[in-house]
Amino acid sequence: MTDDPHSVRLTGLLSGVFVTQVVNSAVHLAQPLLVADMSGSLGSAAFFSAFGTGVHMLGTYLGGWPTERFGARTVLVMSTLLRGIVLAGIPIGMAFGFAGLSWVMGCYTVEALIRGYVDTSVHTVPLELAGHRGDLLDRINSRYEVAFEVGAVLGPLMLGGLMIWSAGIVPHIVIPVGFAVSAALYLFIPKTVRAREAELGTGHA
């Protein structure tokens, strides 16, 4: 933990953002490809992607209250882990033979909603870490953007490699594992005074 206004440990945030973006960008490619393959229609895949964007926007809006109530760090860890759990339903369904189109679309829809909570909380974490220090916030955001963009570039490369050189189920296994790893990395984000107050408030609610 650190409350030093001149320094803050960013390893947990930056490594978590990097891994999240690797698998997140892979999801954005895997989803339309899988839906198109199962439905036999590129139009259906495009429509479903647009629908998922709307669900994600709803999740972003709904994520404000828990982020304020329980702290951004807590919501980020839990929602990232939940993304992995929900998306694990796809390879499990594939392995046991019940992953029909409705099942896959249901998993992706729930994931899109949870993704909104992730986005709200992960963009609030730098504000909590920086407090009222504008210079510190700028420093955190610049490093955040580097981790974000590098992960976003590597994600499609990883997915492409897995799709070429491994069985079809493997990318859908790697993605939820990646989100679980991200959630574990986010645990190393320092607890701020505000985060600890949120936890104490929860305990007395």
Side-chain angles (χ1 to χ4, degrees):
M1 293 184 298
T2 179
D3 296 312
D4 181 0
H6 300 285
S7 128
V8 63
R9 287 184 290 109
L10 298 177
T11 306
L13 175 63
L14 298 181
S15 59
V17 166
F18 171 76
V19 176
T20 293
Q21 273 308 107
V22 170
V23 289
N24 186 63
S25 57
V27 169
H28 287 307
L29 284 177
Q31 173 188 308
L33 291 174
L34 183 58
V35 172
D37 181 60
M38 298 183 76
S39 67
S41 169
L42 290 174
S44 295
F47 176 81
F48 183 69
S49 294
F51 170 74
T53 300
V55 174
H56 168 246
M57 290 172 60
L58 175 63
T60 303
Y61 172 75
L62 295 175
W65 181 84
T67 298
E68 177 68 24
R69 180 70 176 84
F70 302 108
R73 177 182 180 273
T74 299
V75 174
L76 179 59
V77 171
M78 295 305 299
S79 55
T80 301
L81 181 60
L82 282 175
R83 285 186 78 182
I85 291 172
V86 169
L87 289 176
I90 294 175
I92 290 172
M94 290 178 171
F96 290 96
F98 61 83
L101 181 60
S102 296
W103 174 263
V104 168
M105 293 174 74
C107 289
Y108 280 130
T109 298
V110 175
E111 183 274 332
L113 182 67
I114 299 170
R115 192 187 337 136
Y117 285 72
V118 172
D119 284 353
T120 297
S121 56
V122 78
H123 289 111
T124 305
V125 166
L127 297 172
E128 292 189 351
L129 291 177
H132 299 290
R133 286 290 305 278
D135 56 337
L136 181 57
L137 180 60
D138 290 341
R139 195 154 61 245
I140 293 172
N141 281 335
S142 66
R143 295 175 185 178
Y144 174 101
E145 286 300 322
V146 171
F148 183 96
E149 295 298 340
V150 173
V153 170
L154 293 180
L157 295 176
M158 178 197 73
L159 180 66
L162 290 173
M163 293 179 72
I164 292 172
W165 292 299
S166 65
I169 193 175
V170 173
H172 300 287
I173 294 174
V174 171
I175 287 170
V177 171
F179 282 123
V181 172
S182 299
L185 291 171
Y186 285 140
L187 288 171
F188 292 96
I189 296 174
K191 288 186 179 181
T192 61
V193 171
R194 181 177 179 182
R196 293 197 294 272
E197 287 176 347
E199 289 182 355
L200 291 173
T202 301
H204 289 89

